[in-house]
Amino acid sequence: MESTTQPLKRCGCGSPTDKCPDLPRTIAPTAFNPDTALVFDVRREADYAASSELIPGALWKNPEKIDAWIGALPLTQDVVIYCVRGGEISNTVVDRLQAAGVKARFIEGGLEAYKAAGGKLMAKRTA
């Protein structure tokens, strides 16, 4: 049975109510610390493949295959995602994650803004 109402985008506890605070959608690149959150790189496959760097500890997840990995994400841990510039991909993925009860936000301006703010990066491992 499909629901026609929009899911609550609240605290991310997995069973949000109208008493829960709204979950922020974004985090400023200067306020983000990769050591305090589960970090996912959701750049398109071609953008990820063309890049040689990523945020330390980030795991790449193909945004086009979100249905295959969304169910494995924890509902109790802060999740931060990023794409190249924090646009369509990040917005779409964070909508899906928050609707599923994941405490997810994306980096404002994406990887480019994070780099411009002096965020630490690491070389991407190649297979």
Side-chain angles (χ1 to χ4, degrees):
M1 176 180 196
E2 286 190 347
S3 172
T4 57
T5 60
Q6 290 290 325
L8 290 174
K9 291 180 185 171
R10 298 271 179 198
C11 68
C13 68
S15 56
T17 71
D18 60 357
K19 292 180 174 55
C20 294
D22 285 332
L23 183 67
R25 290 181 54 74
T26 64
I27 185 168
T30 54
F32 171 64
N33 178 350
D35 298 329
T36 62
L38 188 56
V39 184
F40 293 106
D41 180 329
V42 295
R43 291 178 283 179
R44 287 184 175 105
E45 191 168 11
D47 292 331
Y48 179 76
S51 175
S52 63
E53 57 198 6
L54 65 132
I55 293 175
L59 300 171
W60 180 71
K61 295 290 185 184
N62 188 335
E64 295 173 12
K65 297 183 179 175
I66 191 169
D67 291 331
W69 53 265
I70 192 171
L73 298 185
L75 301 180
T76 58
Q77 191 171 358
D78 288 330
V79 173
V80 176
I81 63 167
Y82 66 90
C83 63
V84 177
R85 287 176 285 285
E88 177 188 354
I89 299 297
S90 287
N91 274 287
T92 301
V93 172
V94 89
D95 282 347
R96 288 284 311 276
L97 295 180
Q98 287 187 353
V102 177
K103 296 193 298 187
R105 295 181 286 170
F106 68 89
I107 300 173
E108 294 171 8
L111 184 60
E112 294 302 318
Y114 178 76
K115 289 188 328 190
K120 57 184 173 178
L121 297 169
M122 63 180 266
K124 193 172 72 174
R125 291 184 211 170
T126 57

